[in-house]
Amino acid sequence: MTTVAGWLALACLAVVAPASALLVWTDSRSPDTVQGKVATVWRTVGQTLRLGGEVGPPLRMVLSVLLALVSLLYVSTLVGLVTTAITDRLTELQRGQSTVVERGHSLVLGWSEQTPTLVAELLAAHAQRRNSAVVVLADRDKLDMERELRAVLTAVGGRRVRLLCRRGRPADPAALARVSPAAAGAVVVLPPDTPEADTQVVKTLLALRAVVGDASPVRVVAAVRQTRNVATARLAAGPGAVVLDVDGIAARTLVQCVLEPGLSRVLEDLLDFAGAELHVHRVPGLDGRTFADLRAACADACVVGLVRPDGSPLINPSPQTALGPGDAVVVLAEDETPPTWTAPPATPLQPTSYVKAAEAADIHTAPRRVLVLGWNRRGPEIVDGLARNGWEAVRETALPAPDPARRVLVLGGPDGHPDPDEHTLVTLLRLRAAERESDLRSPTVAELTDARHCPLAPTGPHTDLVVGGRLVGLLMAQVSQTVELAGAFDELFSPAGNAVRLRPATDYVPAGTEAPFATLVEAAGRQGATALGYLSGDSRIPLLNPPKTGTRRWSHEDTLIVVTTSGTLQPQEGPARPADTRVFP
């Protein structure tokens, strides 16, 4: 360093001294004597190199040079300190090591295939709020996380929401403290894509309790991949936390989609923040009104159920159920704005103008066969759920010939495979080739783990893709924003009770009837069902919470989306889950 500084000084003098002498000797205003010219050259060199430039006795000149060097050293050191501090700060920000000072933010701990879906939904949920943020803490490079989530941020138009990524182990209390979990509005814990995923979730939950403490708990939503670890995760999370069972939800969803073709798209629309989703409202002045009255009085939303003061849900309760003090109303609406409670006129129906739901349900009671291609740890629970609904599940190793009278379920796997979707994509490709040769179609439900593989899947109008990870991510986002919905979704995904079903519109009104959607809401209510929307003709795009006014002609091709207890039963809890352990708290 000293050698470089010396050579730099000599190089500067070699340039500055001759140039200064040339300036002085060519200046008409310079002194006439040689001594005066030399003194002027010295002043020019000193001012250029900040060496003082004083003339006179040698001691004076040496002292001026010393002071100039001290001044230069001070300024250089100060500039170096400032530069180093800025560089360290930028490096800290680049590595994701800085402290988050936001309050009320949504905090995502961990990284998995659900992270982009979850972050996108949280950004959409925060879009209408001021000064909101979504923070992600994972043991990954900060730039890699931002690069992967940049497309998500652009897609949801998150200009009003800050997305902050920080690097660190979610199970490390020091790393957790940097993202301010105690000040977060909600904390979501994701299982990583590793064999010990559930163990990492439990350790993260324990670290979170150590940082936040039990005196001021935060809203926590976590997920574990295997059902047997739900109880352990709930103990680690503490009271009030919501723990989701990824395998259980995926298995029950696959059973529902096999029995209700086309249901997967409806569930996704119901769970995401685009369009209509579930909201909880406490509306003064409605105490004593029955559920049937509330359903008819809500003009711009669909009343789905009630939430009691203790948090217990009543989804699609009896029409005579009354709203009590402290009860909340669960509605399907476009946003968080309270709905309008003015009853729209409904076209009266004659008692014989529609088919009773019990009679319509009898059509679906005949035993049927499902061919299962592929196998994974969710297979036994799926087979059990199908059997309890009167369906025979047959495992096949060879590709069957297409048969419209039977349905096909393609499972991902096997367990431990680096790309579980590989088997699903190859099997779907072979099924489509066989269908083209025979010109026959088998209704097919296929399981995928990564939503990015959906565009690659060779599907048709008769194929449903169920991305279990995406559904869990959507569900976690919904519950993290409204914890009271945990009980509602628990019932919708529970082994028994109410669930989302697809029923022909002609089960409720005669074919060719011109009536508004409000009329079908009333007709479904008379048969113990709650209407949420409909599928028009052969359209695969569901219309949730459509306008209740404005008539349309209902045909045999139209499908009504309802919540009802009739039809599908769900897989029974396996022995690995204790009898008193629910999927949601």
Side-chain angles (χ1 to χ4, degrees), residues 527-575:
Q527 301 182 30
T530 295
L532 305 180
Y534 64 90
L535 289 155
S536 177
D538 295 332
S539 174
R540 294 172 60 87
I541 301 176
L543 297 175
L544 294 178
N545 187 35
K548 291 186 176 180
T549 58
T551 61
R552 69 183 304 272
R553 185 180 297 274
W554 301 91
S555 66
H556 289 287
E557 289 75 24
D558 295 332
T559 301
L560 199 64
I561 304 170
V562 298
V563 175
T564 182
T565 58
S566 61
T568 306
L569 299 174
Q570 291 298 300
Q572 192 168 10
E573 303 290 348

Side-chain angles (χ1 to χ4, degrees), residues 84-314:
T84 301
I86 294 176
T87 303
D88 291 345
R89 180 63 175 172
L90 291 176
T91 302
E92 187 178 274
L93 291 174
Q94 186 176 14
R95 293 178 178 177
Q97 301 295 325
S98 60
T99 301
V100 173
V101 297
E102 275 73 14
R103 302 186 64 85
H105 55 286
S106 291
L107 176 59
V108 180
L109 302 179
W111 189 276
S112 70
E113 74 271 5
Q114 294 112 338
T115 302
T117 297
L118 176 62
V119 170
E121 294 304 308
L122 291 176
L123 290 172
H126 284 259
Q128 304 302 322
R129 308 174 189 174
R130 292 183 176 272
N131 300 322
S132 58
V134 176
V135 182
V136 180
L137 174 66
D139 193 11
R140 296 189 62 191
D141 183 75
K142 176 178 180 290
L143 295 180
D144 289 343
M145 290 190 287
E146 291 178 342
R147 189 179 303 110
E148 190 163 345
L149 296 176
R150 188 176 296 121
V152 172
L153 184 63
T154 304
V156 300
R159 290 173 292 180
R160 300 182 58 182
V161 185
R162 294 186 302 278
L163 176 61
L164 307 176
C165 296
R166 296 293 182 265
R167 181 171 187 174
R169 292 175 54 248
D172 181 7
L176 272 176
R178 290 199 301 269
V179 292
S180 304
V187 179
V188 183
V189 183
L190 290 173
D193 299 326
T194 59
E196 64 279 2
D198 291 353
T199 302
Q200 293 298 320
V201 170
V202 172
K203 292 171 63 177
T204 300
L205 292 172
L206 292 174
L208 185 63
R209 292 184 70 180
V211 172
V212 176
D214 293 333
S216 56
V218 297
R219 184 188 306 164
V220 177
V221 181
V224 292
R225 295 192 179 278
Q226 299 189 35
T227 303
R228 66 173 182 266
N229 297 320
V230 171
T232 304
R234 291 186 62 196
L235 289 174
V242 178
V243 177
L244 305 184
D245 174 14
V246 175
D247 278 356
I249 293 174
R252 289 187 288 274
T253 303
L254 286 168
V255 171
Q256 287 183 352
C257 291
V258 168
L259 305 181
E260 305 281 348
L263 187 62
S264 60
R265 182 64 180 270
V266 174
L267 293 178
E268 284 199 19
D269 278 14
L270 181 64
L271 291 174
D272 65 23
F273 282 97
E277 62 272 351
L278 295 182
H279 298 278
V280 178
H281 293 285
R282 284 181 167 80
V283 185
L286 296 181
D287 292 353
R289 301 283 294 274
T290 65
F291 180 71
D293 292 339
L294 295 174
R295 188 163 48 196
C298 195
D300 49 7
C302 295
V303 178
V304 180
L306 308 175
V307 175
R308 294 306 191 189
D310 61 355
S312 59
L314 292 176

